[in-house]
């Protein structure tokens, strides 16, 4: 009926096979489109007994987070990412692209700046911070040779970078997204970050109003080397004239 607001509750038991969880994740968007603007809230639970009245009450995500312990926030974040669904707050624009967690306002501003004005910093690192994708440190100005020095330790992250280089005598600065995940990161964290990659890349393109020229993964500093990235950017045309800008 007109004026009704809907809460979508999805049940994903821990015992469900990973493939079943992935299939569910890919089928959520059609349900959201049918509900449209009437969809006010979308949560996921892995235990029916854990569904509390406050989970479907009109409280803000900030208030709900304040009531939760750090362990509860971590568990809720992991469950939401595994299911591909946002676990708190009204459905935001970020969630509309299939992104499990929204980007913070700081992350959105940083992505916009990297895309539109890389001269003041062409690299921003995005990480998962509770139920929000946030920036890790400040924007940085890095050349291709310096990028491997930014390899993170201990947790996965996403690099959004205007990759400034020369190719066949021309200066180019394509928008590149790199999912950076060291080998020593726990398997569960790898699964969570990997499952969010497609939605995050789509959201970055929307924010930047620019297509991502290269979407790749790296597990170590060698994966961030100029040779590796340029081979991917110009797979058919790499020759002796290709070299990284200083």
């Amino acid at each position: 009926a007109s004026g009704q607001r809907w809460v979508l509750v999805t049940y994903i038991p821990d015992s469900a096979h990973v493939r079943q969880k992935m299939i569910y994740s890919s089928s959520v968007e059609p349900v959201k489109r049918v509900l449209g603007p009437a969809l006010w809230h979308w949560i996921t639970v892995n235990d029916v007994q854990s569904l509390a009245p406050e989970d479907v009450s009109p409280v803000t995500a900030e208030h709900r987070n304040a009531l939760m312990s750090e362990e509860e926030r971590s568990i809720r974040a992991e469950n939401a990412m595994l299911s591909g669904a946002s676990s708190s707050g009204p459905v935001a624009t970020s969630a509309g692209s299939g992104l499990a967690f929204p980007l913070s306002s700081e992350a959105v501003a940083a992505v916009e700046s990297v895309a539109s004005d890389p001269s003041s910093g062409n690299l921003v690192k995005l990480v998962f911070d509770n139920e929000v994708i946030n920036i890790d440190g400040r924007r940085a100005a890095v050349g291709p040779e310096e990028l491997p020095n930014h390899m993170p330790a201990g947790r996965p992250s996403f690099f959004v970078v205007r990759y400034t280089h020369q190719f066949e005598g021309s200066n180019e600065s394509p928008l590149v997204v790199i999912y950076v995940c060291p080998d020593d990161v726990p398997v569960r964290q790898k699964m969570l970050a990997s499952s969010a990659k497609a939605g995050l890349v789509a959201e970055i393109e929307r924010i930047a109003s620019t297509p991502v020229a290269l979407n790749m993964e790296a597990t170590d500093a060698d994966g961030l080397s100029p040779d590796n990235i340029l081979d991917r950017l110009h797979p058919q045309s790499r020759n002796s004239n290709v070299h990284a800008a200083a």
Side-chain angles (χ1 to χ4, degrees):
S2 177
Q4 284 188 330
R5 308 289 294 278
W6 291 90
V7 175
L8 177 61
V9 180
T10 55
Y11 171 55
I12 311 293
D14 287 334
S15 58
H17 193 278
V18 172
R19 180 173 177 80
Q20 291 179 315
K21 294 178 181 179
M22 295 301 181
I23 293 175
Y24 159 79
S25 179
S26 67
S27 66
V28 169
E29 288 305 308
V31 177
K32 288 172 54 184
R33 284 195 293 269
V34 169
L35 292 174
L39 178 56
W40 172 81
H41 193 39
W42 180 18
I43 61 176
T44 299
V45 296
N46 59 6
D47 180 358
V48 175
Q49 302 301 320
S50 68
L51 185 60
E54 59 267 22
D55 287 327
V56 294
S57 62
V59 298
T60 65
E62 290 78 7
H63 181 237
R64 187 176 295 110
N65 268 339
L67 297 175
M68 297 169 66
S69 68
E70 186 64 32
E71 181 180 4
E72 289 172 329
R73 283 193 291 268
S74 177
I75 292 173
R76 180 175 288 245
E78 290 184 352
N79 288 337
M81 286 188 64
L82 267 178
S83 66
S86 176
S87 61
S88 66
V91 175
T93 304
S94 295
S97 67
L99 184 61
F101 292 167
L103 275 74
S104 69
S105 57
E106 292 83 1
V108 170
V111 170
E112 290 176 338
S113 296
V114 164
S116 62
D117 184 22
S119 62
S120 58
N122 65 324
L123 168 67
V124 62
K125 305 172 190 177
L126 302 179
V127 294
F128 294 103
D129 183 11
N130 290 327
E131 296 189 16
V132 176
I133 297 176
N134 215 335
I135 56 175
D136 183 15
R138 297 182 178 181
R139 289 172 55 197
V142 300
E145 298 288 350
E146 300 167 311
L147 191 60
N149 298 331
H150 289 261
M151 186 71 193
R155 65 173 175 175
S157 61
F158 292 86
F159 287 8
V160 183
V161 57
R162 278 287 191 180
Y163 201 79
T164 302
H165 64 285
Q166 289 186 352
F167 177 68
E168 295 184 344
S170 299
N171 292 325
E172 297 191 4
S173 296
L175 186 63
V176 174
V177 176
I178 309 174
Y179 166 46
V180 186
C181 188
D183 286 332
D184 60 354
V185 170
V187 173
R188 185 173 177 81
Q189 289 187 33
K190 290 180 180 179
M191 290 177 59
L192 296 176
S194 180
S195 68
K197 183 175 67 171
L200 179 57
V201 172
E203 182 67 1
I204 288 170
E205 288 186 325
R206 187 194 68 79
I207 294 170
S209 298
T210 302
V212 171
L214 174 63
N215 171 19
M216 58 172 284
E217 299 183 9
T219 59
D220 54 29
D222 288 342
L224 299 176
S225 68
D227 282 344
N228 186 46
I229 295 178
L230 291 172
D231 279 343
R232 294 166 182 265
L233 281 171
H234 309 288
Q236 303 299 325
S237 305
R238 280 297 307 275
N239 55 49
S240 58
N241 293 325
V242 178
H243 60 280

